[in-house]
Amino acid sequence: MSQVPASLSSWALNVSTSPTLAVDAKAKALKAAGEDVCGFAAGEPDFDTPAHIKAAAVQALGAGKTKYAPTPGIPPLREALAAKYTDTYGLPTTAAQVVVSPGGKFSCYLTVLAICSPGDEVIVPAPYWVSYPEMVKLAGATPKTVLATDATGFKLTPEMLEAAITPKSKLLILNSPSNPTGAVYTAAELGTLTAVAVKHNLYIMSDEIYEHLLYDGVKHVSPASFSDEARERTIIVSGFAKTFAMTGWRLGTIVAAEPIAKAVAKLQSQTTSNATTFAQWGSLAAYTEADKTKVALDEMLVAFDRRRKLVHSGLNAIDGIECLLAQGAFYLFPNISSFGLDDLTFCERLLDEQKVAAVPGSAFGAPGFMRISYATADETLNKGLDRLGKFCAGL
Ligand SMILES: Cc1ncc(COP(=O)(O)O)c(C=O)c1O
């Protein structure tokens, strides 16, 4: 009889399943079973990919763009992305500094792998996107979370950052606009945090995947823009999923100093080879047909902004809930700590009793809150808010 190995690896055993995907999967299963579920759990735009981007991918398939692509991405897409960072954000960028990967998630993972060794510490401000601490653990490094609650607008202060830094600190993760809070750092706030990171010789992974989803006239700022030293140590991660409603296409980007971009490409060459070739050709149309892209994005932004205000006022109208008005992404992060229920129980009962799916704040390292994604139809939002109000009144 053949012997069975004792156990799975420590990587497999220690990594957690994504809680956001788990809540969304449960909501979808209930829906499939015929329940009328209001899903506020998915971090996914409810719009379709703009038609000109889809058409370009179809054309690429027709033209036989079905083979392996160069590991760091097809040259015209890397050129277009370099031009975007140079022209839009004033960050002089060459195509050699750009890597296209299969998704923003993989971009983050490759960045952590390229920067961190076992024993290193990574500063992860909470509320954090669920995958950051798990990716850090998968690299053998240690996540050091620092919680910033609604008392500081869910933003890390320079004092909090200073207090978290140790001689082992290697990388600071920043995510503005934020998932799960929608919080956006001002240029001044970001500048101060960047200066602390530079002073302590940290790398910064700046996850800017929500860079275009901004409201109230707020402009996007990257930590890389503050100085040459800041640019050298900042790895900008982004992707197509959120801005262009392309979650299923799996396309992410990395922009970094050339030696870091090369290291990331090397890791990619031994893991996924390249992002899907015809998807890259399709996504190129987002830049070559920029006018059409702008029309599609503006349309989405109008809807998101309307829903943001609707959900914000609806949440604050419920006795016991307090919610800040976020200026980015498509999330709000209300404080639900006044009800005497922990957030996991609150969200579980909300789904069971009222068929409203939201993700508990604990999943993001912030107990006492929950994440509401408003990337769904106004009608669903109104219905869900109504049910949430009934649920809270009954507690
Ligand atoms: C903050 C943040 N970064 C990265 C990603 C990854 O996006 P994708 O892998 O779909 O491109 C997400 C998706 O939820 C996110 O919220």
Side-chain angles (χ1 to χ4, degrees):
M1 216 169 64
S2 69
Q3 281 224 311
V4 177
S7 71
L8 298 174
S9 73
S10 57
W11 308 121
L13 292 173
N14 293 335
V15 80
S16 324
T17 309
S18 167
T20 45
L21 296 183
V23 176
D24 190 45
K26 187 169 171 188
K28 283 185 176 140
L30 281 171
K31 248 187 195 162
E35 297 280 5
D36 174 23
V37 178
C38 295
F40 297 163
E44 178 164 51
D46 57 324
F47 301 101
D48 194 6
T49 303
H52 62 293
I53 299 177
K54 292 205 291 189
V58 170
Q59 199 183 5
L61 273 171
K65 306 282 192 197
T66 54
K67 309 291 185 197
Y68 291 128
T71 293
I74 57 170
L77 184 56
R78 293 173 78 204
E79 293 286 353
L81 286 161
K84 165 194 140 176
Y85 281 94
T86 306
D87 301 342
T88 314
Y89 298 134
L91 297 169
T93 307
T94 63
Q97 292 176 258
V98 178
V99 179
V100 181
S101 82
K105 193 173 258 185
F106 203 63
S107 295
C108 291
Y109 184 46
L110 289 182
T111 299
V112 172
L113 278 186
I115 300 296
C116 299
S117 305
D120 290 339
E121 286 178 0
V122 178
I123 299 172
V124 183
Y128 48 70
W129 178 47
V130 292
S131 297
Y132 298 142
E134 302 308 312
M135 290 172 176
V136 171
K137 286 191 252 165
L138 284 172
T142 306
K144 190 144 182 201
T145 60
V146 187
L147 177 60
T149 64
D150 45 358
T152 58
F154 302 115
K155 297 180 199 178
L156 195 64
T157 64
E159 293 75 27
M160 291 158 83
L161 176 56
E162 286 273 7
I165 294 172
T166 76
K168 291 183 179 169
S169 304
K170 185 80 181 282
L171 173 69
L172 164 68
I173 297 183
L174 291 176
N175 172 219
S176 176
S178 154
N179 176 4
T181 66
V184 181
Y185 283 100
T186 64
E189 290 164 342
L190 207 54
T192 322
L193 291 177
T194 304
V196 174
V198 170
K199 184 172 98 184
H200 290 277
N201 200 24
L202 304 184
Y203 283 102
I204 301 173
M205 181 174 90
S206 179
D207 182 346
E208 304 178 10
I209 199 156
Y210 296 96
E211 67 194 286
H212 295 293
L213 305 186
L214 288 166
Y215 315 102
D216 302 334
V218 171
K219 295 267 176 280
H220 180 68
V221 184
S222 172
S225 63
F226 291 108
S227 63
D228 289 347
E229 293 106 308
R231 201 164 71 233
E232 284 299 302
R233 65 186 61 245
T234 301
I235 300 101
I236 302 176
V237 167
S238 192
F240 292 83
K242 315 291 178 174
T243 300
F244 304 117
M246 291 172 65
T247 43
W249 290 58
R250 311 311 304 131
L251 282 178
T253 60
I254 293 156
V255 172
E258 223 177 297
I260 304 175
K262 279 208 171 90
V264 163
K266 191 162 67 166
L267 289 163
Q268 174 147 293
S269 76
Q270 296 289 16
T271 48
T272 60
S273 295
N274 61 265
T276 302
T277 306
F278 52 85
Q280 292 190 58
W281 284 103
S283 72
L284 181 59
Y287 301 107
T288 53
E289 296 177 63
D291 291 352
K292 289 182 189 163
T293 306
K294 186 175 178 325
V295 170
L297 180 55
D298 285 350
E299 231 170 74
M300 292 190 236
L301 281 170
V302 167
F304 283 147
D305 191 24
R306 186 184 62 243
R307 295 164 179 179
R308 174 180 72 116
K309 291 174 179 151
L310 185 159
V311 176
H312 175 254
S313 58
L315 286 170
N316 282 311
I318 298 172
D319 263 355
I321 292 188
E322 276 181 33
C323 184
L324 297 181
L325 181 60
Q327 290 184 307
F330 39 64
Y331 308 107
L332 290 173
F333 204 61
N335 188 325
I336 50 163
S337 61
S338 74
F339 294 101
L341 281 185
D342 69 73
D343 56 301
L344 296 162
T345 312
F346 186 99
C347 290
E348 201 177 336
R349 282 187 50 190
L350 181 62
L351 183 56
D352 288 344
E353 296 171 26
Q354 289 290 342
K355 307 292 177 274
V356 175
V359 186
S362 298
F364 311 97
F369 295 84
M370 69 175 172
R371 189 190 75 176
I372 302 276
S373 164
Y374 54 82
T376 190
D378 296 35
E379 190 196 340
T380 311
L381 293 170
N382 278 319
K383 192 165 29 165
L385 284 167
D386 200 42
R387 292 181 188 179
L388 176 62
K390 284 195 188 108
F391 177 72
C392 293
L395 291 176

